[in-house]
């Protein structure tokens, strides 16, 4: 059992190499054979093959109850994200405290940024008597310690199951002077057992707007020349919102992004920690009722909000994570139509440069088969962009996707010859996708970090283009929207394709005739 | 090194000043959790394991996190159902680096997320029927699963579901353990109660209902590793030392662990416990029920490793004792070289720690081995016995903070300006932006292992690379 010490001070080896040393390999083997009482290697290999079969796929798709590796989170994280896009806003999550630790962790791991939110820390007694006292004390503490300009209240499923009434509780807390009577405390009920994070986003946007705009219908609200835009839940929000502001600037449009996290989720390192930074000002949020129109970048993140906005007499327009040339064209034409201003020459030039890049690279994209998964809007926008590149979206999957969404995807597929092999899978999860990838192969997967297990199992290269991206850094700082964003996405896809080509052609004397210097 | 820290710093004054920001009621409550360690103190003089105050940004998690995330989740050949709405399982999916060897999706499921994905109708009509179906589908799609655990999320306990009845029926039907865990997130004050509940379920649903494996042959040298979650391979870097001194590790709880290892644990001669906080309950139970003694050990840093190896060996015969000395001697040259290389770069550097479990005390001597000083430490979810076990590790003048709030920690760090903050992902970017080197001490910042002699070299390297990276020198623009 005695081996020399592999570790050394000169060249410290960590988990990447330490456990490949003979002493650890032997340790693994001893543990397995003497103590684990596992199944035989043959049995494991047999079942492993079976999970890749058509028969397994059928069983897998017959599932009615268990959900395995879904592409959705629960409502509160979406609501928290939406709240964090407003100036000086502290989300206050009413319910169990562990939830907040999870939301903060998840967002932090993606953005590599601090994420601030508080909990009302309800426990057993609150489950019995309700969480009113937690709200009263919690608002007072949060206000005193963190000096927010606004506190946005949302709920965990615990508070929803016991039926706590946010509106009544907040009034009660104000009566007890937890926060000043005129201090803004918008709220949204966000039950985790209804919809997903995209519904939570919608609920919070509507909650904030309701607070500032009032609940009543008023189709005659006076209008001005400003335009509102709601980005939706977007892991690339830092890059994307800044790109949208740049585009609006080129147009000369007075654009209000309703929930702009771009600065709050991208603060500088200069010795000072900013708990809040940027965001849609409360004044602008209040004034936004007078905008002539509101654009939603993600239809499925905003159905109730848009309905509410319509009732204030605004025009609304909705998109599905518009990406690529025509996706951006449509957005810009809408901005031109709403503002009465022409599309700026500079953007036309950017369009031309993007198309030039696509033309330069189309040979590597044409006919390539892709699986795409993520939120409903992302899947739509991504699939359309792929078809524009001559690539074929084959499996398009979203656990948050509805029947309506499936039809919408089908319509987009039907509109292009590159959509012929495509099919939408709403309400399905990544374990379903695993079966699809084994039984109906594609060349590339587009998704998020969770897809790395699919990449490992199927050996199909993964391109990370949607939330959450935990294991690659800083991509969210670059836009995926606009012509510039489309160029970024194009390069990301191409890089992965070229890396994959090189990785598959690099055996000396065997495959390296295809290891081309020029591609 | 001196016998005290923070000399010449008015730490008590700092605590008072930070407390001023609270409304009166909360100030009084928080004051009990903050203290400056006095000489010869028997404990740290703070209250612990008390409800967090609403609205203050506690860093704590919940009972579900303690059970699914810590104790049960790493058991690799079982499937752990996050029972309730989709979120809890989603956020905890692959979040901890509980390394394991296995064919994921076939005979191991550690990096997967299984949920009953509760919808409104399940809340209204109850979820037991759905749970039956979830378990049936799991067993059909994953026939090599050796057992299933039901990890309750908040709604389960509120709507009155009878998951125990489902578990009994399904265990019988499948001929495999199906265990119900009542770890709803609203229970208790932190993840700590989740650990306790999870331990109790192992007692009641594994020990009471299963037997050690037939054909298991005991030896006089059988021990277990309890309370090591194998973050970045920690349990392996510990196991190798125990094996080298001649012991046989018959079970690992629960990093890289299996159901069979849980079942065989009552065969151990002694249970060796690393994370006392999360697994002392089951060790105490086995002591009472099976007469198995247990011992807390510490494999962080060479001083503690040598001491622990000798204490462990003392429970066995002379051969083991001699082996322990040989193993300590074998690693000593590597340890000396590591200290010679890194100590000059780290000596005198001040550290503030805020984590959970065992680390706020167990890592202290590893830092001391490198010549570093601990100026503040605290636990997320400790009990009084943890603070009793802490006072002999830290020095007079150390700032102690229990269940610290984001506000307090930020203010303490701002004034005390340590050279390193050792805490979690939620804290990391706050302090880096303030210009302070930081290491995540839950996930080892995606490095590790940190346990054992092999781990110490990595620990030393990582503290050096954090503290001595040039980025901290370019924070201020020259204009």
């Amino acid at each position: 059992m005695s081996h020399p010490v592999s570790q050394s001070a000169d060249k410290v080896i960590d988990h990447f190499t330490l456990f490949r040393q003979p002493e650890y390999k032997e340790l693994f083997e001893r543990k397995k054979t003497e103590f684990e009482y596992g199944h035989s290697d043959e049995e494991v290999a047999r079942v492993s093959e079976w999970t890749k079969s058509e028969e397994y796929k059928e069983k897998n798709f017959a599932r009615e109850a268990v959900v395995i590796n879904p592409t959705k989170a629960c409502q509160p994280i979406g609501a928290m994200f939406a709240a964090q896009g407003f100036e000086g806003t502290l989300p206050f999550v009413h319910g169990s405290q562990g939830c907040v630790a999870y939301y903060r962790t998840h967002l932090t791991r993606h953005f590599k940024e601090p994420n601030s939110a508080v909990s009302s820390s309800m426990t057993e007694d609150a489950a019995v008597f309700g969480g009113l006292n937690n709200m009263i004390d919690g608002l007072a503490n949060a206000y005193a310690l963190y000096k927010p300009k606004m506190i946005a209240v949302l709920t965990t499923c615990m508070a929803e199951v016991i039926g706590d009434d946010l509106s009544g509780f907040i009034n009660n807390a104000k009566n007890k002077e937890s926060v000043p009577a005129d201090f803004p405390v918008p709220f949204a009920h966000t039950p985790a057992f209804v919809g997903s994070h995209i519904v939570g986003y919608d609920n919070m946007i509507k909650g904030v707007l309701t607070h500032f705009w009032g609940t009543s219908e008023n189709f005659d609200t006076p209008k001005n020349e400003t335009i509102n835009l709601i980005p939706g839940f977007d892991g690339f929000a830092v890059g994307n919102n800044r790109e949208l502001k740049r585009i609006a600037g080129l147009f000369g449009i007075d654009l209000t992004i309703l929930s702009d996290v771009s600065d709050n989720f991208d603060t500088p390192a200069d010795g000072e920690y900013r708990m809040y930074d940027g965001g849609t000002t409360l004044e602008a949020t209040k004034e936004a009722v007078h905008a002539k129109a509101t654009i939603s970048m993600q239809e499925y993140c905003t159905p109730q909000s848009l309905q509410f906005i319509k009732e204030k007499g605004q025009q609304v327009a909705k998109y599905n994570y518009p990406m690529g040339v025509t996706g951006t064209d449509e957005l810009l034409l809408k901005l031109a139509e709403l503002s009465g201003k022409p599309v700026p020459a500079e953007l036309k030039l950017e369009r031309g440069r993007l198309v030039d890049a696509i033309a330069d690279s189309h040979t590597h994209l044409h006919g390539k088969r892709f699986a795409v998964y993520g939120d409903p809007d992302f899947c739509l926008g991504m699939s359309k962009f792929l078809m524009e590149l001559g690539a074929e979206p084959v499996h398009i999957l979203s656990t948050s996707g509805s029947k309506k969404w499936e039809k919408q995807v089908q319509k987009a597929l039907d509109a292009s010859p590159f959509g012929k092999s495509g099919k939408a899978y709403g309400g399905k999860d990544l374990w379903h996708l695993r079966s699809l990838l084994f039984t109906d192969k594609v060349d590339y997967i587009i998704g998020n970090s969770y897809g790395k297990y699919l990449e490992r199992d199927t050996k199909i290269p993964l391109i990370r283009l949607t939330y959450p991206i935990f294991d690659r850094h800083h991509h969210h700082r670059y836009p995926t929207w606009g012509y510039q964003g489309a160029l970024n996405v194009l390069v990301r896809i191409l890089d992965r394709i070229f890396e994959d080509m090189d990785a598959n052609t690099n055996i000396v004397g065997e495959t390296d005739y295809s290891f081309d210097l020029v591609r | 090194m001196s016998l005290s820290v923070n000399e010449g710093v008015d730490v008590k004054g700092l605590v008072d000043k930070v407390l001023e920001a609270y409304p009166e009621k909360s100030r009084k409550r928080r004051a009990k959790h903050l203290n400056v360690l006095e000489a010869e103190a028997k404990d740290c003089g703070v209250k612990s394991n008390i409800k967090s105050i609403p609205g203050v940004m506690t860093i704590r998690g919940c009972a579900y996190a303690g059970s699914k995330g810590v104790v049960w989740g790493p058991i690799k050949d079982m499937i752990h159902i996050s029972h309730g709405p989709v979120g809890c399982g989603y956020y905890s999916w692959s979040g901890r680096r509980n390394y394991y060897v296995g064919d994921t999706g076939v005979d191991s499921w550690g990096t997967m997320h299984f949920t009953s994905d509760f919808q409104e109708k399940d809340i209204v009509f109850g979820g037991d029927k759905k749970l039956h179906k979830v378990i049936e589908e799991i067993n059909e799609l994953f026939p090599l699963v050796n057992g299933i655990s039901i990890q309750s999320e908040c709604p389960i306990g509120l709507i009155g579901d009878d998951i125990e009845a489902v578990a009994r029926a399904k265990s019988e039907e499948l001929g495999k353990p199906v265990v119900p865990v009542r770890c709803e997130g609203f229970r208790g004050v932190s993840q700590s109660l989740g650990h306790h509940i999870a331990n109790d379920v192992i007692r009641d649903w594994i020990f009471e209902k299963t037997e050690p494996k037939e054909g298991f042959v005991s030896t006089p040298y059988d021990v277990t590793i309890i309370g090591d979650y194998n973050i970045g391979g920690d349990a392996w870097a510990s196991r190798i030392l125990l094996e080298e001194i001649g012991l046989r590790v018959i079970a690992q709880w629960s990093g890289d662990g299996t159901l069979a290892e849980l079942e065989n644990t009552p065969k151990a001669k002694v249970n060796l416990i690393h994370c006392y906080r999360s697994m002392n309950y089951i060790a105490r139970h086995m002591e009472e029920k099976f007469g198995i003694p247990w011992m807390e050990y510490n494999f962080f840093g060479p001083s503690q490793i040598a001491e622990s190896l000798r204490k462990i060996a003392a429970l066995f015969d002379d051969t083991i004792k001699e082996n322990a000395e040989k193993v300590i001697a074998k690693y000593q040259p590597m340890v000396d070289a590591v200290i010679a290389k890194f100590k000059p770069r780290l000596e005198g550097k001040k550290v503030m720690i805020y984590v959970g479990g065992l680390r706020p005390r167990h890592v202290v001597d590893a830092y001391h081995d490198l010549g570093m000083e601990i100026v503040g430490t605290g636990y997320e979810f400790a009990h009084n016995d943890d603070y009793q076990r802490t006072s002999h590790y830290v020095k007079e003048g150390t700032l102690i903070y229990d269940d610290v709030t984001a506000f307090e920690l930020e203010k303490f760090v701002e004034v005390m300006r340590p050279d390193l903050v050792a805490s979690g992902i939620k804290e990391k970017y706050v302090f880096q932006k303030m210009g302070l080197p930081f290491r995540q001490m839950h996930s080892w910042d995606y490095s590790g292992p940190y346990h054992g002699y092999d781990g110490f070299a990595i620990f030393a390297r990582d503290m050096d690379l954090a503290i001595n990276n040039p980025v901290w020198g370019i924070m201020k623009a020259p204009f």
Side-chain angles (χ1 to χ4, degrees):
Chain A
M1 231 187 252
S2 191
H3 282 274
V5 179
S6 302
Q7 187 60 283
S8 94
D10 289 339
K11 175 110 185 70
V12 174
I13 53 173
D14 57 23
H15 59 91
F16 290 105
T17 34
L18 180 65
F19 299 127
R20 298 176 194 192
Q21 304 307 309
E23 66 270 31
Y24 282 99
K25 283 188 183 164
E26 287 171 24
L27 177 148
F28 293 158
E29 191 55 29
R30 275 195 302 279
K31 181 174 186 295
K32 182 180 166 188
T33 52
E34 289 182 48
F35 304 108
E36 292 188 352
Y37 292 80
H39 306 276
S40 69
D41 290 349
E42 297 71 34
E43 182 67 351
V44 172
R46 185 190 67 77
V47 173
S48 176
E49 281 311 305
W50 176 63
T51 66
K52 301 169 188 171
S53 67
E54 191 68 40
E55 181 199 339
Y56 189 87
K57 185 187 109 183
E58 276 173 35
K59 270 187 194 294
N60 195 8
F61 272 76
R63 260 193 283 144
E64 290 172 352
V66 68
V67 171
I68 308 167
N69 300 351
T71 70
K72 64 172 185 180
C74 62
Q75 278 207 47
I77 197 173
M80 206 163 104
F81 182 104
Q84 286 167 332
F86 292 92
E87 176 195 14
T89 299
L90 182 66
F92 181 103
V93 186
H94 184 54
S96 301
Q97 72 191 12
C99 314
V100 182
Y102 277 144
Y103 315 145
R104 293 178 64 208
T105 296
H106 213 261
L107 290 164
T108 285
R109 283 176 171 160
H110 172 85
F111 289 103
K112 314 296 180 200
E113 287 288 318
N115 190 286
S116 299
V118 298
S119 164
S120 68
S121 293
M122 285 165 67
T123 55
E124 283 107 329
D125 51 349
V128 177
F129 301 111
L132 177 59
N133 288 332
N134 298 66
M135 178 74 77
I136 292 170
D137 291 347
L139 286 179
N141 287 327
Y143 181 75
L145 291 183
Y146 298 110
K147 305 198 169 14
K149 291 199 168 130
M150 173 160 96
I151 295 178
V153 180
L154 55 140
T155 49
T156 77
C157 56
M158 178 211 185
E160 289 299 322
V161 172
I162 66 175
D164 279 3
D165 165 29
L166 291 183
S167 175
F169 280 19
I170 293 166
N171 281 335
N172 227 312
K174 284 191 167 179
N175 290 338
K176 299 260 183 190
E177 296 177 355
S178 296
V179 295
D182 59 351
F183 184 78
V185 188
F187 64 89
H189 284 276
T190 50
F193 44 82
V194 176
S196 67
H197 57 290
I198 57 176
V199 175
Y201 183 96
D202 191 21
N203 280 332
M204 183 52 82
I205 294 289
K206 189 183 168 196
V208 171
L209 297 185
T210 303
H211 174 85
F212 287 103
W213 297 3
T215 48
S216 57
E217 277 185 17
N218 182 5
F219 289 92
D220 299 326
T221 308
K223 296 288 174 266
N224 56 33
E225 286 304 304
T226 62
I227 295 172
N228 301 328
L229 182 145
I230 309 174
F233 189 96
D234 177 21
F236 284 79
V238 169
N240 279 341
N241 292 358
R242 288 177 184 162
E243 181 65 7
L244 290 170
K245 285 188 273 192
R246 188 184 70 91
I247 290 171
L250 291 171
F251 262 102
I253 292 173
D254 190 352
L255 185 79
T256 306
I257 294 184
L258 291 172
S259 180
D260 178 9
V261 297
S262 60
D263 289 344
N264 206 20
F265 288 180
D266 188 24
T267 63
D270 58 2
E272 179 202 347
Y273 162 54
R274 298 157 179 80
M275 183 165 161
Y276 313 101
D277 204 8
T280 317
T281 64
L282 304 189
E283 191 54 33
T285 309
K286 195 172 154 193
E287 286 302 307
V289 71
H290 299 297
K292 61 161 63 163
T294 295
I295 294 170
S296 166
M297 294 295 278
Q298 301 196 65
E299 177 185 1
Y300 288 92
C301 288
T302 52
Q304 296 181 67
S305 300
L306 285 193
Q307 181 58 36
F308 175 78
I309 290 166
K310 261 193 216 166
E311 289 162 9
K312 301 292 179 189
Q314 289 190 27
Q315 296 180 60
V316 297
K318 56 195 182 192
Y319 294 90
N320 303 103
Y321 209 93
M323 274 200 286
V325 180
T326 43
T328 307
D329 289 351
E330 285 167 17
L331 178 69
L332 297 190
L333 287 169
K334 178 56 80 175
L335 285 171
E337 177 203 318
L338 290 171
S339 65
K341 296 175 178 180
V343 177
E346 195 169 335
L347 290 175
K348 197 171 173 190
L349 194 57
E350 285 178 19
R351 185 188 192 279
R353 289 170 182 153
L354 169 64
V355 174
D356 184 57
I358 295 171
D360 294 348
S361 312
H362 73 277
T363 51
H364 296 293
L365 297 159
H366 192 105
K368 291 286 190 310
R369 288 158 56 86
F370 284 77
V372 177
Y373 72 83
D375 286 348
D377 293 294
F378 171 77
C379 287
L380 272 159
M382 190 71 241
S383 298
K384 286 184 187 169
F385 187 19
L386 286 173
M387 291 190 283
E388 186 172 88
L389 297 170
E392 298 175 12
V394 178
H395 312 302
I396 303 127
L397 181 140
S398 178
T399 314
S400 297
S402 58
K403 290 281 166 223
K404 179 196 156 203
W405 171 81
E406 285 185 345
K407 279 189 198 138
Q408 205 175 353
V409 175
Q410 195 54 52
K411 203 174 149 201
L413 294 169
D414 292 344
S416 164
F418 298 96
K420 272 195 200 107
S421 353
K423 190 176 173 197
Y425 298 90
K428 297 289 184 265
D429 55 44
L430 296 187
W431 196 252
H432 290 114
L433 185 56
R434 187 178 185 270
S435 281
L436 291 171
L437 294 173
F438 277 121
T439 53
D440 186 8
K441 290 200 174 9
V442 298
D443 299 303
Y444 303 98
I445 305 166
I446 291 179
N448 54 27
S449 288
Y450 294 121
K452 76 188 297 174
Y453 303 114
L454 293 171
E455 180 179 41
R456 177 193 58 192
D457 291 359
T458 63
K459 310 295 176 220
I460 300 169
L462 169 71
I463 303 157
R464 293 160 176 81
L465 284 169
T466 192
Y467 184 90
I469 301 173
F470 295 146
D471 59 344
R472 298 291 185 273
H473 292 193
H474 309 312
H475 291 297
H476 66 275
R477 298 174 199 262
Y478 298 88
T480 57
W481 288 343
Y483 300 124
Q484 294 291 349
L487 187 62
N488 288 334
V489 172
L490 177 74
V491 173
R492 298 276 306 279
I493 294 173
L494 286 168
D495 275 350
R496 193 72 189 86
I497 290 175
F498 293 132
E499 283 160 17
D500 189 45
M501 275 181 192
D502 286 345
N504 287 319
T505 54
N506 63 6
I507 303 171
V508 178
E510 239 184 81
T511 61
D512 60 344
Y513 39 80
S514 304
F515 194 65
D516 284 317
L517 179 67
V518 185
R519 298 214 192 265
Chain B
M1 244 189 290
S2 74
L3 294 170
S4 60
V5 291
N6 293 325
E7 279 167 20
V9 184
D10 181 15
V11 186
K12 273 210 154 73
L14 170 62
V15 169
D16 292 340
K17 190 151 182 357
V18 167
L19 282 168
E20 274 173 23
Y22 284 93
E24 194 185 346
K25 184 174 159 192
S26 301
R27 177 161 61 238
K28 282 185 184 157
R29 287 175 66 183
R30 280 305 304 159
K32 296 173 188 162
H33 298 266
L34 306 171
N35 192 35
V36 181
L37 194 78
E38 287 164 13
E40 312 295 323
K42 287 209 169 47
D43 63 20
C44 296
V46 294
K47 295 274 184 210
S48 58
N49 197 30
I50 293 173
K51 271 196 279 189
S52 301
I53 300 175
V56 298
M57 216 180 313
T58 174
I59 291 152
R60 284 173 168 176
C62 64
Y64 165 90
S67 176
K68 188 268 185 178
V70 174
V71 176
W72 278 102
I75 303 289
K76 63 182 176 180
D77 62 343
M78 294 177 69
I79 285 175
H80 310 287
I81 303 164
S82 294
H83 187 42
V86 68
C88 314
Y90 185 78
Y91 306 119
S92 56
W93 175 10
S94 277
R96 275 167 71 87
R97 299 172 56 236
N98 313 113
Y99 280 8
Y100 62 91
V101 180
D103 194 334
T104 301
V106 180
D107 71 352
S108 308
W109 294 272
T111 50
M112 290 174 66
H113 159 31
F114 294 83
T115 177
S116 46
D117 189 17
F118 261 34
Q119 302 299 304
E120 197 149 23
K121 63 177 190 309
D122 302 310
I123 300 286
V124 176
F125 300 109
D128 287 343
K129 249 175 133 170
K130 188 175 204 176
L131 181 58
H132 270 279
K133 192 140 193 122
V134 164
I135 294 169
E136 284 158 20
E137 289 176 356
I138 284 174
N139 197 52
E140 191 176 349
L141 287 169
F142 307 98
L144 301 186
V145 70
N146 286 336
I148 292 168
S149 83
I150 303 157
Q151 305 287 330
S152 302
E153 301 170 6
C154 286
I156 304 307
L158 298 171
I159 62 175
D161 274 11
D162 189 356
I163 59 168
E164 288 79 8
V166 178
R168 272 190 293 272
K170 282 307 182 212
S171 293
E172 180 91 357
E173 202 178 306
L174 307 182
K176 298 175 183 180
V178 178
V179 298
V181 192
R182 287 281 179 183
C183 55
E184 289 90 344
F186 62 82
R187 293 191 197 277
V189 304
S190 68
Q191 43 274 65
S192 183
L193 188 64
H195 305 141
H196 196 155
I197 291 167
N199 276 229
D200 288 353
V201 169
I202 296 174
R203 179 192 66 201
D204 298 340
W205 291 78
I206 302 293
F207 288 172
E208 291 293 315
K209 292 179 192 296
T210 65
E211 293 292 325
K213 291 287 177 195
E214 257 178 64
F216 182 88
V217 181
S218 292
T219 77
Y221 302 111
D222 292 355
V223 298
T224 60
I225 291 177
I226 307 271
D228 191 325
Y229 303 102
N230 207 31
I231 306 296
D234 280 338
W236 296 328
S238 304
R239 182 185 187 101
I240 201 159
L241 297 177
L242 297 174
E243 288 188 349
E244 278 190 285
I245 68 169
L247 300 176
R248 215 169 72 115
V249 181
I250 66 167
Q252 259 175 236
W253 290 43
S254 54
D256 193 38
T258 55
L259 179 63
E261 289 169 72
L262 295 185
E263 290 169 350
N264 287 335
T265 295
K267 293 275 191 185
K269 296 294 178 287
V270 53
N271 285 319
L272 300 175
I273 183 159
H274 206 238
C275 181
Y276 169 86
R277 178 72 273 132
S278 57
M279 284 199 175
N280 78 86
Y281 318 99
I282 198 73
R284 289 175 193 280
H285 167 72
M286 284 189 268
E287 184 176 43
E288 278 172 33
K289 175 105 194 249
F290 310 110
I292 305 171
W294 58 274
M295 199 197 97
E296 193 182 353
Y297 69 104
N298 179 352
F299 272 3
F300 283 105
S303 306
Q304 285 293 331
I305 296 170
E307 193 180 322
S308 287
L309 281 174
R310 290 186 175 117
K311 269 165 67 185
I312 292 166
L315 302 170
F316 296 89
D317 57 32
D318 287 349
T319 319
I320 303 292
K321 288 175 200 150
E322 281 158 29
N323 288 347
E325 294 306 324
K326 280 183 205 154
V327 168
I328 293 166
K330 171 183 160 183
Y331 285 95
Q332 199 59 48
M334 185 269 282
V335 166
D336 290 343
V338 165
I339 290 175
K341 180 175 176 182
F342 293 107
K343 193 170 178 179
R345 302 169 61 78
L346 297 171
E347 188 139 40
K349 300 288 184 191
K350 295 184 176 68
V351 187
M352 286 178 77
I353 303 170
Y354 182 69
V355 274
L358 70 165
R359 289 148 293 162
R361 62 175 177 276
H362 268 197
V363 298
V364 168
D365 280 346
Y367 283 111
H368 287 165
D369 287 335
L370 293 166
M372 300 167 78
E373 283 189 341
I374 308 301
V375 295
T377 191
Y379 294 82
E380 274 182 46
F381 48 83
H383 299 204
N384 193 37
D385 50 0
D386 292 296
Y387 284 106
Q388 285 167 354
R389 289 167 150 78
T390 306
S391 48
H392 74 268
Y393 276 107
V394 291
K395 295 177 181 170
E396 182 186 348
T398 307
L399 175 59
I400 308 287
Y401 29 80
D402 177 71
D403 183 23
V404 79
T405 67
F407 175 82
E408 290 162 359
L409 191 59
E410 186 195 324
K411 298 294 168 203
F412 292 153
V413 169
E414 216 172 68
V415 173
M416 294 172 72
R417 291 302 291 192
D419 300 291
L420 179 78
V421 180
S423 189
I425 186 66
K426 300 195 290 302
E427 294 71 63
K428 180 180 172 95
Y429 301 104
V430 171
F431 297 114
Q432 289 193 169
K433 284 178 196 292
M434 286 165 64
L436 287 163
F438 188 98
R439 286 300 294 184
Q440 288 183 67
M441 292 298 279
H442 300 263
S443 66
W444 306 151
D445 242 306
Y446 324 116
S447 174
Y450 281 177
H451 291 179
Y453 287 115
D454 288 337
F456 175 67
I458 304 163
F459 172 83
R461 177 200 67 180
D462 289 355
M463 297 311 134
D464 175 45
L465 69 81
I467 289 175
N468 294 310
N469 189 279
V471 68
W472 314 118
I474 54 172
M475 290 245 156
K476 290 283 169 209
F479 43 82

